[in-house]
């Protein structure tokens, strides 16, 4: 028998879907419950039902709740070996295309698309690349468009960049401004940020590389397969797919449609 909290959470996510169109119904239950209860506490609601009533009647409160449900946490060149694998295995293939499209799905506050923009610039590909970065969290997308990150994170970002095979001084890509690190305008202009839901929206664009890392771990199996289907259908023939360090295609409905390029770094290539 389901607990009262579980019932309340189920009603909350159904209400959010009906009211705002954001679909969390197929998110992993344990993770979703943890985040909803955290939001309830931080938003000072006496119960999940009270939180639901507040969110239904106040779009501003829903925007606050969304920050807890979407986990907008990332870092530049996260898992540096992944970016090394991109340089070694993907970049040589991308160079064979007259133009390139890259999709970063679940881009959060923009750390990954900026990392990819830097990598592509250093490899001489950025000028002929269209880089899409999508998320369902409008506040995260707005922050990403600004291209401003905390100065206190730059030391860790620099270490990641160096371990990822960076070819220059990382500090060349930003200036201290507005109390943070403002990334170069040409990098910001190279990225198109857009609202897109892996739970409800269709294929985003035909691409040569899809990078969606540390997103699928928050989905149940059905939603994982839906997202993987979007990535498969988005990729051009023999396109590349990158996942997070704790994610895999194994046992998914699309396992037979990709081959591993670097299994340790969760980098795959579409077979057909």
């Amino acid at each position: 028998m389901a607990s009262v909290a579980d019932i309340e959470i189920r009603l909350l996510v159904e209400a959010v879907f009906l009211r705002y169109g954001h679909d969390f119904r197929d998110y992993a239950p344990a993770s979703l419950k943890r985040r909803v209860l955290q939001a309830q506490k931080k938003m000072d609601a006496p119960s999940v039902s009270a939180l639901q009533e507040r969110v239904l009647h106040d779009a501003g409160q829903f925007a606050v709740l969304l920050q807890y449900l979407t986990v907008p946490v990332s870092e530049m060149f996260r898992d540096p070996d992944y970016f090394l694998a991109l340089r070694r295995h993907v970049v040589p293939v991308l160079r064979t295309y007259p133009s390139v499209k890259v999709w970063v799905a679940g881009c959060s506050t923009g750390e990954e698309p900026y990392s990819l923009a830097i990598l592509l610039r250093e490899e001489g590909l950025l000028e002929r690349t269209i880089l899409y970065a999508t998320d369902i969290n409008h506040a995260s997308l707005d922050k990403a468009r600004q291209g401003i990150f905390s100065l206190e994170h730059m030391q860790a970002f620099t270490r990641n960049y160096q371990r990822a095979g960076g070819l220059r001084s990382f500090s060349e890509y930003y200036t201290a401004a507005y109390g943070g690190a403002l990334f170069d305008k040409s990098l910001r202009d190279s990225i198109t940020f857009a609202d897109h839901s892996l739970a409800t929206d269709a294929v985003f664009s035909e691409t040569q590389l899809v990078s969606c890392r540390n997103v699928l771990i928050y989905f149940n199996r059905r939603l994982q397969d839906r997202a993987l289907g979007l990535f498969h259908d988005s990729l051009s023939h023999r396109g590349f797919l990158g996942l997070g360090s704790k994610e895999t295609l194994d046992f998914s409905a699309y396992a037979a449609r990709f081959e591993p390029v670097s299994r340790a770094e969760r980098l795959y290539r579409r077979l057909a």
Side-chain angles (χ1 to χ4, degrees), residues 25 34 43 62 68 79 105 134 144 166 171 186 191 193 196 215 218 227 230 232 246 254-255:
R25 295 174 298 178
R34 183 172 62 253
M43 297 173 70
F62 170 66
Y68 293 97
D79 302 321
T134 64
S171 61
S186 63
I191 306 168
F193 291 99
H196 181 275
V215 175
Y218 298 111
L230 291 179
H232 176 273
K246 296 180 180 179
Y254 288 83

Side-chain angles (χ1 to χ4, degrees), residues 19-20 30 34 71 79 90 105 108 113 134 168 221 232 243 256:
R19 175 70 173 83
Y20 297 103
R34 183 172 62 253
V71 195
D79 302 321
V90 178
S108 187
T134 64
R168 299 167 63 178
R221 178 59 58 85
H232 176 273
L243 301 178

Side-chain angles (χ1 to χ4, degrees), residues 70 104-109 133-138 140-141 194-197:
T70 55
V104 180
C107 70
S108 187
T109 47
T134 64
D135 204 276
I136 63 170
N137 189 324
H138 290 181
S140 293
L141 289 171
D195 183 359
H196 181 275
S197 171

